[in-house]
Amino acid sequence: MTKNNLFTRKKPLLLLAILSFVTSSILPILPSKAENIPLPSDAPLELYLLTQPTKNIITAKTINPQKLTVPSLWWAKENSEKKLLDNWIAYPASKTEPPRVDLIVNQQIWSLLDYMEKYVFVNRLGIIASKSGYNIRVFDYQTETLATYTCNFPQSPTFCKIQMSNQSKVGLRYSL
């Protein structure tokens, strides 16, 4: 192969590399929409509400005979999470936070799951809760935060983030 042919074949690649470098260096780096997801609530888990719920608090034992109670996690619990999902506490929105659901899982079952099984559980219930505008946090009965599913509901499309505690420092983000 002649020297001229070699240069001609590499010329488009060199030009593409130069254009890519110049373009990336002059464009501003904008934050992604997923970076605007608020942090999960840092409010403590209030386990006493499982036995003494107030008027605005919904648990797995709260039943409204007139209409469907929102968020509706009963169907998910009965269909696939019967042994893992033990109970939940749904809090209404406050002045500083959107509504949230604190899920309480059976620690023995949770500890048997691998990372992906835990992620699928959090994702499935997070999607269900987010359809009603709720974020979720997953706890055990020792009040240890195991995972969170947090969304930025005012933004369209809504972006959500899953964080798994004691598993990985990587948070996974995606859009609904």
Side-chain angles (χ1 to χ4, degrees):
M1 183 178 301
T2 66
K3 197 175 197 179
N4 197 20
N5 280 347
L6 183 61
F7 180 73
T8 306
R9 289 180 60 200
K10 290 188 175 183
K11 189 175 180 182
L13 291 175
L14 181 61
L15 184 59
L16 181 62
I18 291 170
L19 284 174
S20 295
F21 176 75
V22 170
T23 303
S24 65
S25 64
I26 61 172
L27 288 177
I29 298 174
L30 302 173
S32 74
K33 291 182 179 183
E35 291 175 4
N36 296 327
I37 298 170
L39 293 174
S41 172
D42 61 356
L45 174 64
E46 301 175 73
L47 282 175
Y48 70 91
L49 292 171
L50 293 174
T51 56
Q52 305 164 6
T54 62
K55 186 174 95 174
N56 295 330
I57 300 298
I58 300 167
T59 70
K61 300 195 180 0
T62 306
I63 297 172
N64 186 334
Q66 286 89 19
K67 62 179 180 156
L68 183 65
T69 306
V70 175
S72 182
L73 301 174
W74 290 275
W75 186 250
K77 180 176 170 49
E78 290 305 312
N79 277 339
S80 60
E81 315 302 344
K82 190 175 269 190
K83 293 179 182 173
L84 178 57
L85 179 57
D86 203 37
N87 212 325
W88 65 83
I89 305 168
Y91 302 87
S94 70
K95 291 180 182 178
T96 58
E97 294 182 358
R100 76 175 185 281
V101 180
D102 289 343
L103 306 175
I104 299 99
V105 296
N106 178 322
Q107 179 60 39
Q108 289 178 327
I109 304 294
W110 180 264
S111 66
L112 296 174
L113 302 178
D114 64 28
Y115 179 83
M116 285 308 295
E117 290 168 321
K118 292 173 183 177
Y119 178 87
V120 167
F121 168 81
V122 173
N123 188 52
R124 182 174 31 246
L125 292 175
I127 289 170
I128 292 169
S130 68
K131 287 180 181 177
S132 299
Y134 285 77
N135 289 319
I136 68 166
R137 302 183 306 171
V138 180
F139 291 91
D140 59 20
Y141 278 104
Q142 287 71 44
T143 70
E144 179 184 357
T145 305
L146 304 172
T148 61
Y149 183 102
T150 310
C151 301
N152 63 345
F153 295 111
Q155 189 172 356
S156 180
T158 299
F159 285 90
C160 300
K161 179 179 179 182
I162 293 176
Q163 292 180 316
M164 306 286 287
S165 299
N166 298 328
Q167 296 293 325
S168 171
K169 298 294 182 191
V170 178
L172 301 173
R173 299 175 186 164
Y174 60 91
S175 156
L176 290 178

